[in-house]
Amino acid sequence: MVVLFGAGYFYHMQRDKMEVMTSGYYEEVQYMNLQTEESGRNVIMEDGPEYLQNFENPEPVTEVNSSLTMPVSGLGNWQLTLVNPWHSLNEDYSLQLVELVNGQSVDERCYPELQAMMDDCRAAGLSPYICSSYRTWEKQNRLFEENVRTLMAQGYSEEEARTETARNIAIPGTSEHQLGLAVDIVDKNYQILDENQEDTAVQKWLMENSWRYGFILRYPTDKSDITGIVYEPWHYRYVGKEAAEAIYNEGICLEEYLEKQK
């Protein structure tokens, strides 16, 4: 299996820091080993096992310029850029990131709506935590290669380890987290990434309201054969308000929406 590599050049511009609300300490987000299945396509878990920092408020503290690679897709609209197991990153895409507290980052163009969504969720008396956001090529590759080495230590051949890893962790270049438009959000009161996350108060609110801010639940429970990703009731993707409303109302996924727009 070929692993794609890429590199971004980063520089930081210091800006005035806004008052932020954080938990004040780090908590461990636990990942469950979700079982995948063959359905004519490889269905994987987009978010591999890693330990992440949590925070309540995505206030920006720094801006970062990053040159990424991205496919020419999404009907020419940056909000709809498609990245999945069959659409990997090219070398003709650039974006500017807003670095959030505790080192997380998102595309600055989706930041205002993300902030509004988090604020309104908290105003409803809930406790959302963003536990993962933008990932560099290097980080995605590290997650992939670490899992390969772990499996090889368990007796897998390298080829077997890479094949098995690709079922659970996105191959570098095919993860939505490399877009800067995807965030994993968990409930403070239940910080395990498994299907029980859907029963938390935070997820119930987000599933009902995220479209109002231009975000969609990217990997619904009944769309794995289309998205290539198992159900992830914590992974939200910014697509813009118009597309998000249509996707929500029609009960479809991003791939289906893009196909209809053709």
Side-chain angles (χ1 to χ4, degrees), residues 72-86:
V72 180
S73 60
L75 308 176
N77 186 336
W78 66 270
Q79 299 169 322
L80 301 176
T81 301
L82 181 63
V83 174
N84 64 20
W86 310 284

Side-chain angles (χ1 to χ4, degrees), residues 116-128 201-202 205-206 213:
M117 183 170 72
M118 295 290 285
D119 287 345
D120 289 349
C121 187
R122 286 194 299 272
L126 306 176
S127 301
V202 164
W205 189 94
L206 289 172
Y213 306 87

Side-chain angles (χ1 to χ4, degrees), residues 20-29 52-57 101-102 127 129-131 187-191:
V20 298
M21 297 172 56
T22 67
S23 60
Y25 57 91
Y26 299 144
E27 298 179 64
E28 233 174 46
V29 177
L52 302 160
Q53 299 172 355
N54 296 312
F55 59 94
E56 295 181 66
N57 194 327
V101 294
N102 292 347
S127 301
Y129 280 93
I130 296 175
C131 66
D187 192 309
K188 175 184 177 181
N189 301 306
Y190 187 80
Q191 299 185 42

Side-chain angles (χ1 to χ4, degrees), residues 36-108:
T36 60
E37 59 182 344
E38 291 291 337
S39 59
R41 302 178 178 183
N42 287 328
V43 180
I44 68 174
M45 181 178 177
E46 215 275 348
D47 299 303
E50 59 174 320
Y51 296 108
L52 302 160
Q53 299 172 355
N54 296 312
F55 59 94
E56 295 181 66
N57 194 327
E59 290 285 0
V61 294
T62 312
E63 289 184 356
V64 183
N65 277 345
S66 174
S67 177
L68 293 182
T69 58
M70 203 63 53
V72 180
S73 60
L75 308 176
N77 186 336
W78 66 270
Q79 299 169 322
L80 301 176
T81 301
L82 181 63
V83 174
N84 64 20
W86 310 284
H87 294 81
S88 59
L89 311 181
N90 294 337
E91 296 183 358
D92 59 356
Y93 188 84
S94 63
L95 78 160
Q96 189 164 359
L97 297 170
V98 172
E99 184 176 328
L100 313 177
V101 294
N102 292 347
Q104 301 283 350
S105 301
V106 295
D107 187 315
E108 69 170 5

Side-chain angles (χ1 to χ4, degrees), residues 21-251:
M21 297 172 56
T22 67
S23 60
Y25 57 91
Y26 299 144
E27 298 179 64
E28 233 174 46
V29 177
Q30 301 178 45
Y31 287 74
M32 301 299 289
N33 183 18
L34 299 185
Q35 296 298 314
T36 60
E37 59 182 344
E38 291 291 337
S39 59
R41 302 178 178 183
N42 287 328
V43 180
I44 68 174
M45 181 178 177
E46 215 275 348
D47 299 303
E50 59 174 320
Y51 296 108
L52 302 160
Q53 299 172 355
N54 296 312
F55 59 94
E56 295 181 66
N57 194 327
E59 290 285 0
V61 294
T62 312
E63 289 184 356
V64 183
N65 277 345
S66 174
S67 177
L68 293 182
T69 58
M70 203 63 53
V72 180
S73 60
L75 308 176
N77 186 336
W78 66 270
Q79 299 169 322
L80 301 176
T81 301
L82 181 63
V83 174
N84 64 20
W86 310 284
H87 294 81
S88 59
L89 311 181
N90 294 337
E91 296 183 358
D92 59 356
Y93 188 84
S94 63
L95 78 160
Q96 189 164 359
L97 297 170
V98 172
E99 184 176 328
L100 313 177
V101 294
N102 292 347
Q104 301 283 350
S105 301
V106 295
D107 187 315
E108 69 170 5
R109 295 169 291 187
C110 75
Y111 164 72
E113 295 299 339
L114 174 62
Q115 180 69 67
M117 183 170 72
M118 295 290 285
D119 287 345
D120 289 349
C121 187
R122 286 194 299 272
L126 306 176
S127 301
Y129 280 93
I130 296 175
C131 66
S132 185
S133 53
Y134 169 70
R135 293 179 194 158
T136 64
W137 277 85
E138 291 79 8
K139 183 172 184 178
Q140 190 66 32
N141 185 65
R142 175 175 57 79
L143 293 174
F144 192 91
E145 292 298 327
E146 284 178 354
N147 199 74
V148 169
R149 289 193 293 272
T150 296
L151 292 178
M152 290 179 65
Q154 296 174 5
Y156 286 75
S157 68
E158 181 175 356
E159 181 178 359
E160 291 170 339
R162 291 188 178 279
T163 299
E164 187 63 26
T165 295
R167 298 180 188 274
N168 297 282
I169 301 175
I171 295 173
T174 68
S175 171
E176 273 206 338
H177 284 286
Q178 294 178 255
L179 271 174
L181 299 175
V183 288
D184 293 342
I185 305 176
V186 297
D187 192 309
K188 175 184 177 181
N189 301 306
Y190 187 80
Q191 299 185 42
I192 300 175
L193 297 190
D194 65 5
E195 292 191 6
N196 291 326
Q197 188 67 219
E198 70 179 2
D199 296 322
T200 66
V202 164
Q203 297 306 341
K204 289 179 179 179
W205 189 94
L206 289 172
M207 289 181 186
E208 182 177 349
N209 294 286
S210 62
W211 64 273
R212 304 178 191 276
Y213 306 87
F215 285 84
I216 59 170
L217 181 67
R218 180 64 176 94
Y219 305 121
T221 184
D222 58 345
K223 302 294 183 180
S224 294
D225 60 331
I226 300 174
T227 65
I229 308 294
V230 297
Y231 178 41
E232 292 189 355
W234 58 81
H235 183 111
Y236 293 86
R237 158 71 191 272
Y238 185 76
V239 295
K241 291 184 178 180
E242 180 180 351
E245 182 175 6
I247 289 171
Y248 175 81
N249 287 335
E250 297 177 33

